[in-house]
Every structure is written in C-alpha cells, then in structure tokens.
Amino acid sequence: MANVVLPTGVDTAQGHSKVLPGLLEGRPDLGPVFMNSLPVERIESADVSNVLLFLASDDARYVTGIAMPVDAGSTIR
C-alpha cells in the first residue's frame, strides 16, 4: 500500500518560468483565474511538505493507501 499526495499548482521557481507565460495569470479582462475553490492561484511548497512530514511521522502510522489532496479545493469544483 502507498500513500499518495495530490497537490494543485505549487508556487515554485519553475512555475514562474518564462517558458509558459500567462499559464495561471488569467486574462486581464476577467481578472485572475482560480482553478481552486479557495481564492489562491498556487499553494506554497511548505503546504505539500507538511503533508509529507505528517505521512512520514508516527502520527500517521495507521494511515495506509490514501490519496491525500492538497489542492485548495480544486477537486470539489
């Protein structure tokens, strides 16, 4: 059994690269476009790291075979 973390877009240096400009910025006439239910475009890398630390800790010793969304509500949209 494996535990899996499923993040939404994460705010990283690669996400700010010039290769795909405008991917998450939205259209100027519509304002920002949020893929998530919460009003954030991207989550912080620490949000994902904290979930990984929890799953690796003794507190999660009986957590098995889950897919843990860290997605700011994008899966409920």
Side-chain angles (χ1 to χ4, degrees):
M1 287 274 161
N3 294 321
V4 181
V5 176
L6 307 169
T8 188
V10 180
D11 191 16
T12 63
Q14 184 177 5
H16 294 282
S17 115
K18 300 295 181 195
V19 175
L20 296 172
L23 181 64
L24 293 175
E25 279 72 28
R27 290 180 26 195
D29 57 328
L30 298 176
V33 175
F34 298 117
M35 299 182 314
N36 310 315
S37 292
L38 298 177
V40 295
E41 290 184 29
R42 301 176 188 140
I43 62 174
E44 299 294 323
S45 58
D47 298 320
V48 178
S49 299
N50 289 337
V51 172
L52 294 171
L53 288 172
F54 166 71
L55 289 173
S57 74
D58 287 339
D59 291 336
R61 66 185 173 271
Y62 298 120
V63 178
T64 58
I66 65 160
M68 170 90 62
V70 183
D71 63 5
S74 69
T75 56
I76 61 172
R77 279 200 85 133

